[in-house]
Amino acid sequence: MAATAGEQQDVRNPATGETLARVPLSSAADVDAAAKAARAALPEWRARPAIERARWLFGLRQVLESHADELARSVTREMGKTLPDARAEVGRMVEMVEAATAVPQTMQGRILEDVARNVDCETIRQPVGVCAAIVPFNFPAMVPFWFLPFAIACGNTFVLKPSEQVPLTQELVFNLIDDHGGLPDGVVNLVNGSVDVVNALLDHPEIDAISFVGSAKVAGYVYERAAANGKRVQALGGAKNFIVVMPDAVIPRTVSNILGSAFGAAGQRCMAGSVVVTVGDARKPLMDELVARTRELTVGDGLERGVDVGPVVSTPARDRITEWIERGIDGGATAVVDGRGASTGTDGSFVGPTVLDDVTPDMDIAQEEVFGPVLSVIHADSLDEAIEIVNRSRYGNGTSIFTESGAAARRYRHDVEVGMVGINIGVAAPVAFFPFTGWKGSFFGDLHAHGSDAVDFYTRKKTVTSRFFSGGDTGRFFVEQAEK
Ligand code: NAD
């Protein structure tokens, strides 16, 4: 069903400023129609055997795989990241579908025979109902698929609201789903829009569970409002990710990883490295190579070959990031590479890779999420001091340590107050079959996205205690009266 609302929004290519499309924004009536369609589809979909739901996902996997290039180009056009980066994103999207196809195994319950004589007890998993996901701009293909395949694999029906800044890739995905067929009407539904549509989803009585990914402030709000309305909710928020470099780190490989982490997707990843903490003698060799190689990075349209850093998502984002660089410098940082004023001669929104040295842990630039290609550098004397700096952050999404010392790595992994840790890995975003386990201000809820947590989130447990009197002596169970 098409949107009824008259309101439309421009979607722009951030590399050129050109308008890609005008997208109709959904109204509260559209959200209502989507939720009701999802509710109506639920009995038929949950009645399908798990292996049949998995088989539909096998088919979807093939469809996505055969349109991978088109999807990647759509991601680059509307969001800006380079084409190789977008291809990697689509690869991860497909991996989510693959992981979800394990549902005939992962959705199994547990049983114990003879909890009392001839009495059995079993916990089974059933779908939660109608589930919705509200997602951000920075992974137009992958983040919606942290939810959609797992939700429907478990027998739920689903409503997706993409970011209003990047609605086109999911429109393409939903068209592919429609063309592929095999899914009853109403199992998956797409609504577009912003705050009003989010509120309509959070308040809708037919929606049982909400997944949210976005900035910290909105994540907290969504968590509270959805929970107040009695919904199951998981809300993934913002981040400030630290990378610790020990004196024994392999510098060239470490720098390659830092560049990919800090400047890939123009720093617009929730797992982007935002602060490097060098320990002791790591400082000089790391800084020499980091600065030299940052200066070599090419800024431009992500569709072009040889471009390392694409645009940021919009001109307001560019202005906000530029202000952050100014604030860092005003606070005492030194811009050893300054990306302000980067331009490619188009109306695109570019910020060049920026390295701010002499940052101290108390500065705002060391504590607040910038969400752009800006890397701060702090120097520490010891691993203890580095861990203290990292643990001071109110966020706890991702972190990495670069070292060849097993003891240092083990110590870091054990003591750091962050939910996803990379050891000699720059972007430690877990693969689909492990959960995405942010901590502290980066996550509100209990059950995380994808991996085994997805099945826990998307199922309700039901526990059945049973016996049959004709099967033999069952004795008495719990508070049962004795027979006269
Ligand atoms: P955002 O919070 O602005 O938007 C996210 C979603 O919330 C969008 O669908 C948007 O329409 C909606 N929204 C925005 N403002 C709202 C409001 N006031 N009330 C209700 N809904 C609202 O985030 P963004 O700019 O699209 O994405 C970037 C943010 O997402 C960063 O903070 C990044 O760290 C975070 N992020 C986190 C993860 C994670 O796994 N923790 C992953 C990706 C992105």
Side-chain angles (χ1 to χ4, degrees), residues 77 97 126 152 170 174 185 250 362 366 373 423 446 463-465:
R77 261 198 311 273
V97 181
Q126 298 188 334
I152 66 171
Q170 286 305 316
F174 273 65
D185 279 352
V250 177
D362 51 315
I423 297 173
D446 172 20
T463 301
V464 181
T465 308

Side-chain angles (χ1 to χ4, degrees), residues 390-434:
V390 178
N391 286 350
R392 194 186 291 188
S393 172
R394 69 173 192 278
Y395 296 112
N397 217 37
T399 187
S400 304
I401 184 168
F402 286 85
T403 181
E404 294 302 302
S405 157
R410 204 266 170 195
R411 177 74 214 294
Y412 193 71
R413 177 174 105 161
H414 187 270
D415 288 354
V416 80
E417 298 263 316
V418 177
M420 290 174 276
V421 180
I423 297 173
N424 299 312
I425 302 279
V427 181
V431 288
F433 25 99
F434 281 83

Side-chain angles (χ1 to χ4, degrees), residues 134-139 143 146 161-165 193-196 198-199 202 212-216 218-219 221-222 236-239 269-271 369 371 397 420 436 442-443:
I134 299 153
V135 293
F137 78 81
N138 62 332
F139 284 97
V143 167
W146 283 359
K161 193 209 82 70
S163 162
E164 64 278 22
Q165 297 189 83
S194 178
V195 180
D196 292 346
V198 172
N199 286 336
L202 299 179
F212 174 86
V213 183
S215 55
V218 184
Y221 163 77
V222 165
L236 288 68
R269 293 190 192 122
C270 67
M271 292 292 279
E369 182 175 49
F371 222 59
N397 217 37
M420 290 174 276
F436 197 90
S442 298
F443 180 71

